[in-house]
Amino acid sequence: MLGLKLPTDPRWVKIAEKSLEDILTDHAYCEQKAATTCISLIQTFPEKVRMVEELAPIVTEEWGHFRMVLQELKKRDLQLGRQRKDQYVNIMMAYIKKDGSRESRLTERLLLSALIEARSCERFRLLSLNIADDDLKDFYHKLMISEAGHYRLFLDLAKHYGGEEKVKARWQEILDEEARVLATLELRGDRMH
């Protein structure tokens, strides 16, 4: 369903489980950045009425997810640590085209957001199926469903503004690059991506 070309190494969950504080901290900041990305898109492209209307509730939802992760940390007497650089996202951001028309720049940003949501959804699914903590299994199952919806929304918006065929082709290029990048990154349990 997600179209990702390289699945996450199944060992990732076991590694992540060993450092719950780190993975929950990273997850919290991912949710915060997702809310900020939606706000940035709205601020940069306010004339895109459909996008503004569809992303506005996502801002609230993502911020709610941030607060939910904070609650999971608190339940386990864990602390929100410091934010770390997201190497995966930074590499993928560098791949996204920043030139061209305003429409094409919007489309690129929407596709990047769709990719990040797809990878998050895939990782949440792995956690929901394989993490030993039953409460976290349920937590990540709910978030997986939400992320799948966000992935679809971003991809649909990209097609709406960028054109179906053009976006399909570019999406495949981005998925190919993401698989190449993922294959080169160290498998780390303290990062969502």
Side-chain angles (χ1 to χ4, degrees):
M1 175 193 118
L2 298 171
L4 298 170
K5 298 197 174 182
L6 182 66
T8 295
D9 186 320
R11 296 175 299 162
W12 174 78
V13 174
K14 293 299 176 199
I15 297 168
E17 236 173 351
K18 292 178 183 174
S19 54
L20 269 185
E21 189 168 56
D22 289 332
I23 197 67
L24 287 169
T25 288
D26 192 60
H27 178 189
Y29 287 117
C30 287
E31 297 293 355
Q32 194 179 76
K33 286 182 254 184
T36 303
T37 295
C38 290
I39 292 168
S40 174
L41 284 164
I42 291 168
Q43 289 173 328
T44 307
F45 303 95
E47 74 281 6
K48 304 300 184 190
V49 175
R50 176 181 167 187
M51 184 194 73
V52 171
E53 289 175 352
E54 292 188 23
L55 290 188
I58 304 301
V59 173
T60 306
E61 189 177 339
E62 297 287 20
W63 194 254
H65 292 169
F66 171 72
R67 294 179 63 210
M68 288 166 60
V69 179
L70 291 180
Q71 289 172 346
E72 293 300 324
L73 281 161
K74 187 174 182 177
K75 275 199 278 191
R76 292 164 179 76
D77 291 321
L78 302 172
Q79 298 293 312
L80 177 67
R82 297 181 67 85
Q83 183 176 350
R84 299 174 199 99
K85 289 183 181 176
D86 190 330
Q87 185 182 17
Y88 165 85
V89 171
N90 289 336
I91 292 169
M92 292 311 302
M93 281 177 65
Y95 179 74
I96 296 301
K97 296 175 185 173
K98 294 168 187 64
D99 57 353
S101 70
R102 186 168 167 76
E103 292 287 325
S104 66
R105 290 192 309 273
L106 170 60
T107 301
E108 290 286 308
R109 288 184 64 183
L110 291 168
L111 287 173
L112 176 61
S113 294
L115 176 70
I116 294 167
E117 295 287 343
R119 184 55 68 185
S120 297
C121 179
E122 187 243 9
R123 296 263 165 117
F124 291 169
R125 180 181 176 278
L126 287 174
L127 289 167
S128 75
L129 294 173
N130 300 304
I131 200 162
D133 184 315
D134 286 336
D135 288 339
L136 282 178
K137 275 184 181 179
D138 292 340
F139 176 69
Y140 279 112
H141 179 76
K142 290 173 190 162
L143 290 179
M144 173 195 70
I145 294 166
S146 177
E147 298 296 289
H150 297 168
Y151 150 74
R152 282 290 348 145
L153 173 61
F154 281 114
L155 200 53
D156 290 346
L157 287 170
K159 290 174 182 175
H160 175 74
Y161 291 112
E164 182 92 22
E165 291 308 311
K166 194 172 169 185
V167 166
K168 277 185 182 179
R170 181 63 179 144
W171 180 238
Q172 290 308 307
E173 292 172 2
I174 291 170
L175 289 173
D176 288 341
E177 178 64 10
E178 194 257 3
R180 189 195 65 72
V181 166
L182 204 60
T184 66
L185 293 177
E186 175 188 1
L187 186 64
R188 298 180 63 161
D190 62 343
R191 300 283 194 279
M192 251 322 146
H193 302 113

